[in-house]
Amino acid sequence: AQSVSQHNHHVILSEAASLELGCNYSYGGTVNLFWYVQYPGQHLQLLLKYFSGDPLVKGIKGFEAEFIKSKFSFNLRKPSVQWSDTAEYFCAVNAGSGGGADGLTFGKGTHLIIQP
Amino acid sequence: DAGVIQSPRHEVTEMGQEVTLRCKPISGHDYLFWYRQTMMRGLELLIYFNNNVPIDDSGMPEDRFSAKMPNASFSTLKIQPSEPRDSAVYFCASSLVVGQLFFGSGTQLSVL
């Protein structure tokens, strides 16, 4: 079974600071990796995804993530955060065996607060 | 498209009562998922369906929980009897492409 670990439960940054949220997963086979975001009062939505190919993937709103297979990591980054990036961020994984849309296993989330 | 629709948004009930949560997936999506979110355990997959058929219910905590999907546009999650430890936010999500889940707004359940 897969598991996902997010390093920080709470992160507080000032606007324009650079962001990196850590995510490590535990699974021995091929994986699909995702970052979801939940803005205050809104439902979870997909931020970016990695299936195969270029390990550096770009998502919406200037976010990107890098898949490092040797480290079982998929860290989320943004060069310069904005106040509107305040949200809960979830890393997720599912087995990339091609067997179908198996349910995602989520990390516990990182609550990001951006101070003006 | 209106997205995934869940009802009710909030439910407050007393221990021992039956609770039914409802979900309408996005039209055309053939996968439907039920998740539970708590502070302690994060987001947990309870059960998911493919073409209305339950595929994996290993996340359902115990026999008090049951889920049905009688047709492609409707699913229910039932808790009977409910207990205070069931208090959580319950999310429904649907999907057509692997991993690209579209979530509903959730049902905030409080069992007193």
Side-chain angles (χ1 to χ4, degrees):
Chain A
Q2 310 99 311
S3 66
V4 179
S5 175
Q6 292 186 237
H7 307 155
N8 308 99
H9 294 301
H10 299 276
V11 174
I12 301 174
L13 295 173
S14 298
E15 277 194 312
S18 64
L19 170 71
E20 181 161 3
L21 301 182
C23 172
N24 287 90
Y25 67 92
S26 172
Y27 184 70
T30 304
V31 292
N32 300 315
L33 296 156
F34 309 85
W35 276 96
Y36 277 78
V37 61
Q38 186 174 26
Y39 296 104
Q42 296 187 28
H43 51 80
L44 281 128
Q45 55 187 289
L46 182 66
L47 195 57
L48 50 79
K49 62 186 178 185
Y50 172 80
F51 286 176
S52 64
D54 189 345
L56 183 64
V57 293
K58 296 189 183 300
I60 59 172
K61 302 187 180 184
F63 286 91
E64 64 180 31
E66 185 176 14
F67 170 51
I68 303 179
K69 189 175 181 180
S70 61
K71 295 184 177 180
F72 297 89
S73 70
F74 190 56
N75 293 355
L76 181 70
R77 300 195 293 248
K78 185 171 183 178
S80 176
V81 294
Q82 300 171 305
W83 177 79
S84 58
D85 293 325
T86 294
E88 189 93 18
Y89 292 82
F90 296 89
C91 183
V93 62
N94 81 338
S97 60
D102 293 330
L104 298 180
T105 299
F106 284 86
K108 289 191 175 181
T110 297
H111 188 196
L112 175 66
I113 297 173
I114 307 300
Q115 297 177 329
Chain B
D1 198 318
V4 176
I5 300 172
Q6 290 186 247
S7 64
R9 288 296 304 274
H10 302 274
E11 176 80 32
V12 180
T13 191
E14 293 186 344
M15 183 174 63
Q17 296 298 306
E18 177 180 297
V19 175
T20 299
L21 311 181
R22 297 173 177 80
C23 175
K24 177 178 168 36
I26 293 173
S27 176
H29 284 190
D30 49 8
Y31 284 86
L32 183 140
F33 305 84
W34 282 100
Y35 280 87
R36 178 173 67 175
Q37 185 180 35
T38 61
M39 288 289 291
M40 291 296 295
R41 303 171 71 94
L43 271 162
E44 302 173 276
L45 176 64
L46 301 177
I47 185 172
Y48 78 93
F49 297 82
N50 178 218
N51 292 322
N52 312 339
V53 177
I55 302 300
D56 183 358
D57 65 354
S58 60
M60 295 286 261
E62 48 197 273
D63 291 345
R64 297 184 297 106
F65 286 69
S66 63
K68 294 182 180 179
M69 192 166 186
N71 57 61
S73 59
F74 184 65
S75 177
T76 59
L77 178 68
K78 186 175 293 186
I79 309 172
Q80 166 62 20
S82 58
E83 297 182 4
R85 60 193 168 119
D86 301 330
S87 298
V89 181
Y90 291 81
F91 288 101
C92 175
S94 69
S95 173
L96 185 60
V97 176
V98 171
Q100 291 188 217
L101 273 60
F102 290 81
F103 283 82
S105 299
T107 295
Q108 174 81 58
L109 174 63
S110 298
V111 183
L112 307 177

